Amino acid sequence: MLEPWRSNISGYSRLLLAKLFPRDYSKELAKTAHCPPLLGIETTNICNADCVFCAYQYMERPKIIMDFDLYRKIVDDYAECGGRNVGLAVTVGDPLLDPRLLDRIAYGRSRGMQGFGFFTNGILLHKFAQKALLTSGLAALHISLAGFDRETYKKIYRVDIYHRVIDNTVKLAEVNNLLGRPVKITVSVRSSLPIRQLIKTEDYRRLRSLGVPVEFAIRYDSWSGKIRPEDLQGVMRMRPLPQKKQPCGALWFGATVHADGAFTVCGCRDLDGTSELTLGNLKEQSLHDLWTSEKLQHIKRHFTTVLPDICVDCTQYSPVSILNSWHFSLIRDIRPLAVACPEHA
């Protein structure tokens, strides 16, 4: 059985190695000059939970579901500049609240897209036909839980719906196993309780018996100062504020389109799409033009000397020197511009 803290240790190890032995990946990153290696598309910024650790509670932009014509235009733009890897990533929100979720995956696949992983609280999993969801082309599903009991779930996610979520998760994992595991299902736990207590619970053991990996968050991001230590509970702790001596990897791997079409290179924490990292809007502009814009190149060149305001208090920062096999696979999947869109070559 995987030790529940392994993924956290490996992440901290990569940070330490990058600090001690920084590497130059400029040749690899140059291959992304014409196209993001990964594009997150936030098809909705609506959520049906109210987690204490999430800045959704402070979001000011309107809560909407992305227009399907806009979604189609975004996917077409990405295909034309050579992109292949799409994540239904949300800065905030839950993709299961999008009634056309499976239609969006189908359209993306028709344009040669792959990936389509996302995080969800799993509250609405029972609204989807399990086989249809698991065979839609979805590659990965990360289900967020506050632990394995009703009271903790209520305190952390501030909705009283734990039993539905755990039942949804177990049933989906069972069907996924019967189908040969076409989707990588992971449970990500954000709990106020210590790991040693969580791994003794019956529901934890149910998930592990089904082969579902369970990861445990140890430290939490401040969302650039929006979440404070007093917002967290129990063993939950804030991440320390890191020094930013290199450009952030999000400038290459964080490209995200918000539900209203705003294009940001920080899908992690650009909550309202109003920071310096929002480059424009794909309703009026092309993905290729925004990605190759002088504004983005200037941010990359001067990141360590003129830190964007949103980055000053960010604890989600990850230096660009931390690349692994997953990042390299994304870069390899980019098609040359002459093949993807000859008029831009």
Side-chain angles (χ1 to χ4, degrees):
M1 183 176 74
L2 280 175
E3 293 85 355
W5 47 84
R6 179 176 294 178
S7 62
N8 294 291
I9 290 177
S10 64
Y12 292 131
S13 298
R14 289 196 300 271
L15 282 169
L16 179 61
L17 288 171
K19 185 176 181 179
L20 295 175
F21 307 105
R23 295 183 61 182
D24 180 7
Y25 291 113
S26 56
K27 289 184 179 180
E28 289 83 359
L29 295 175
K31 299 172 185 177
T32 72
H34 66 281
C35 182
L38 174 67
L39 183 65
I41 305 178
E42 180 194 74
T43 68
T44 181
N45 64 334
I46 305 170
C47 192
N48 47 4
D50 186 26
C51 304
V52 298
F53 54 80
C54 180
Y56 179 74
Q57 57 197 304
Y58 301 115
M59 183 181 65
E60 296 180 355
R61 56 190 167 110
K63 298 174 182 178
I64 63 172
I65 293 172
M66 180 182 282
D67 177 79
F68 200 87
D69 287 339
L70 173 59
Y71 174 82
R72 188 181 291 113
K73 192 260 186 190
I74 293 164
V75 171
D76 291 348
D77 273 12
Y78 192 41
E80 288 169 7
C81 75
R84 291 179 179 173
N85 289 288
V86 170
L88 295 178
V90 293
T91 302
V92 290
D94 194 301
L96 295 183
L97 284 158
D98 177 4
R100 299 200 66 182
L101 176 64
L102 298 188
D103 293 336
R104 296 185 199 271
I105 295 174
Y107 182 75
R109 285 176 59 80
S110 76
R111 291 305 315 268
M113 300 296 113
Q114 61 189 17
F116 298 105
F118 62 87
F119 274 86
T120 175
N121 56 39
I123 292 173
L124 292 183
L125 276 173
H126 64 290
K127 295 290 187 181
F128 289 78
Q130 294 163 340
K131 185 175 181 180
L133 178 64
L134 293 168
T135 60
S136 64
L138 181 68
L141 190 64
H142 305 275
I143 302 172
S144 178
L145 283 173
F148 302 102
D149 71 277
R150 178 183 177 186
E151 290 306 314
T152 304
Y153 193 93
K154 285 166 60 178
K155 290 178 181 178
I156 304 300
Y157 284 36
R158 295 190 286 202
V159 288
D160 187 7
I161 208 158
Y162 170 74
H163 292 297
R164 179 198 289 177
V165 175
I166 193 66
D167 287 346
N168 285 347
T169 304
V170 167
K171 290 175 182 176
L172 191 72
E174 289 172 341
V175 176
N176 195 48
N177 287 349
L178 290 173
L179 295 173
R181 297 186 180 178
V183 176
K184 181 180 179 181
I185 298 174
T186 304
V187 166
S188 299
V189 177
R190 293 157 171 81
S191 181
S192 58
L193 301 177
I195 294 174
R196 64 179 179 274
Q197 182 174 338
L198 293 167
I199 61 176
K200 295 177 182 178
T201 60
E202 180 181 350
D203 285 340
Y204 170 80
R205 291 170 176 164
R206 287 172 71 194
L207 292 172
R208 294 299 296 126
S209 70
L210 291 167
V212 177
V214 180
E215 302 173 348
F216 294 82
I218 296 174
R219 294 184 180 271
Y220 296 81
D221 180 47
S222 71
W223 287 80
S224 298
K226 292 181 176 65
I227 302 299
R228 300 159 296 178
E230 55 266 32
D231 295 321
L232 304 180
Q233 300 181 22
V235 300
M236 304 170 85
R237 297 291 183 269
M238 302 298 299
R239 290 178 185 157
L241 185 65
Q243 292 183 321
K244 300 175 175 72
K245 296 183 178 181
Q246 302 174 32
C248 181
L251 300 178
W252 285 266
F253 295 92
T256 299
V257 188
H258 282 170
D260 62 357
F263 179 73
T264 176
V265 287
C266 184
C268 291
R269 295 299 176 258
D270 195 355
L271 182 63
D272 287 307
T274 55
S275 81
E276 307 98 306
L277 302 183
T278 294
L279 306 178
N281 194 295
L282 290 182
K283 287 181 179 178
E284 300 91 19
Q285 298 160 284
S286 77
L287 177 60
H288 178 267
D289 288 349
L290 292 179
W291 182 251
T292 59
S293 66
E294 174 55 29
K295 180 178 179 179
L296 178 55
Q297 309 320 309
H298 182 273
I299 292 171
K300 289 178 177 179
R301 287 194 302 267
H302 300 285
F303 183 86
T304 56
T305 55
V306 186
L307 199 63
D309 289 344
I310 191 175
C311 304
V312 172
D313 294 321
C314 180
T315 57
Q316 188 76 359
Y317 163 81
S318 180
V320 71
S321 62
I322 300 182
L323 298 185
N324 56 35
S325 58
W326 177 71
H327 295 95
F328 294 130
S329 69
L330 295 176
I331 292 173
R332 285 195 301 269
D333 283 340
I334 299 174
R335 291 174 294 166
L337 189 59
V339 174
C341 194
E343 64 265 29
H344 288 302

